[in-house]
Amino acid sequence: MHRCLFLGLSEAPYTDMFVDAHQQDKMPQTPPFPAVYGSNSYNNNLYKTKEEEYGGLYYHDNNLVSGSLEALIEHLVPTVAYYPDRTYIFTFLLSSRLFIHPYELMSKVCHLCVEQQRLSDPQADKARVRKIAPKILQLLSEWTETFPYDFRDERMMKSLKELTHRLSTGDEIYRKAVQQMIQTLIRSLTTLSQYEEALAKINSSVTDRLTVLKTKPQSIQRDILTICSDPFTLAQQLTHIEMERLSYIGPEEFVQAFAQKDPLDNDKRCFSDRKKASNLEAYVEWFNRLSYLVATEICMPVKKKHRARVIEFFIDVARECFNIGNFNSLMAIITGMNMSPVSRLKKTWGKVKTAKFDILEHQMDPSSNFYNYRTALRGATQRSITAHSNREKIVIPFFSLLIKDLYFLNEGCSNSLPTGQVNFEKFWELAKQVTDFITCKKVECPFERDRKILQYLLTAPVFSEDALYLASYESEGPENNMEKDRWKSLRSALLNRT
């Protein structure tokens, strides 16, 4: 469960609401998140068949490796004697959108359910319907709770309501279960809409500070040290923002962000009619904002001593972020401090004790594919697994690197095999990495919120890149002809704007 910083809303935890204890004994059980993927094989012990090919699906060492899209869809649909493993459900719902729109998949699933179980027949065997209904409702429950954003599409909701109506007609137990599922889904979508509205409101209140430099930066009355002078408190508030924004990223956004036109898709592009990854993009924008906010706070003060104090403060904040497990804020702060307008302030840096900063930079060193960071991340993840408190469970990965890893996984492996089969081995790996992300985002932030600090972090105007350079040159004059030319150009542009 997570909390919304702006809205005070909560998200219901996953519940197997449709299956009572007696029915659960009969239904093949799978472990809940996050333990669905073993460390050695992502679909360990799921499929125990000796044949290499079975019903259009291909296996290697008992693991599903490929299959036709139609066979994979059939494998998703429960029967009286069969229920798909949760790892398969998640992996297929996550990755199938590279081949087929979710609403088209939902339509096919509904059609198979109705046809296989003869649900359209008024004389359908009621006992048979009672046996299959909990399984179909369980599948729909997993879909609506794990990928609720799919149901912002009216076509999805239409198919969902038509199928659940067939299952619940004449049976009060299933009617209540369906009602509960729909209400939970609508709450999720309402919370998302309110979050998006809150983000839009915040973004509209942020303005460029460039014009303030028409006079000296003393005219700026507030800075970070007047809002919060305790590095640990600021690191906690940054962690609040990180964890909230993480919580709203749908797992499908990682796939939709990289969805490429598939030659089997008749030149149609999945999700071309809607924004594919808005919450993922908003989180990346937050990283950029924090980096620019750090650079702004450093370049803004007139006095060298004050600038040095701000740098040392952010070094301490970054160290606290590292200790918490908030690697995204840590890297955003380091990025802001390494921006050219900041790094060129040699006289300011001369007054800074940089030993702690050097250690942090070493931890986030990009060499050897971020080996040091990945080692620290594994340590934090291990701590999280054995943790007894939410404080120890926090792991916020360096998000841009996570995106990069998923991008190269997507680019490095084809979605389809030369035979035309879906490359399901790739999708097991994709699902494994996205499942790790889901584990991170489900932790509830344990720190007390400070609205004043949060408001400042989210809405304080930041300098543009040009404004940063201008402030930097105003603080410590240009050192060479190139810097002098740029300074003159920037001052001229400022005069023209004002």
Side-chain angles (χ1 to χ4, degrees), residues 410-434:
N410 186 66
E411 290 295 303
C413 301
S414 174
N415 295 331
S416 303
L417 301 176
T419 58
Q421 301 280 308
V422 174
N423 181 7
F424 218 77
E425 278 190 300
K426 169 183 175 176
F427 297 149
W428 287 125
E429 175 61 27
L430 185 64
K432 167 66 168 61
Q433 294 196 30
V434 174

Side-chain angles (χ1 to χ4, degrees), residues 93-147:
L93 292 180
L94 175 71
S95 305
S96 60
R97 62 199 68 235
L98 291 169
F99 296 90
I100 183 173
H101 281 272
Y103 81 86
E104 292 173 320
L105 176 60
M106 173 62 84
S107 178
K108 287 179 179 291
V109 167
C110 292
H111 177 75
L112 284 170
C113 288
V114 170
E115 291 300 307
Q116 287 178 0
Q117 307 305 324
R118 300 190 293 279
L119 297 178
S120 58
D121 183 358
Q123 305 302 317
D125 183 350
K126 298 296 182 185
R128 184 181 179 84
V129 173
R130 286 193 199 98
K131 287 180 181 178
I132 190 61
K135 295 181 178 180
I136 296 176
L137 290 174
Q138 182 66 23
L139 174 66
L140 296 176
S141 170
E142 296 202 35
W143 196 336
T144 57
E145 294 198 13
T146 309
F147 300 95

Side-chain angles (χ1 to χ4, degrees), residues 56-70:
L57 302 177
Y58 291 80
Y59 298 85
H60 180 70
D61 292 337
N62 295 325
N63 292 324
L64 177 61
V65 294
S66 67
S68 68
L69 184 60
E70 293 303 319

Side-chain angles (χ1 to χ4, degrees), residues 459-475:
T459 64
V462 298
F463 288 143
S464 65
E465 185 175 358
D466 284 347
L468 284 173
Y469 272 108
L470 186 54
S472 181
Y473 295 145
E474 294 281 351
S475 297

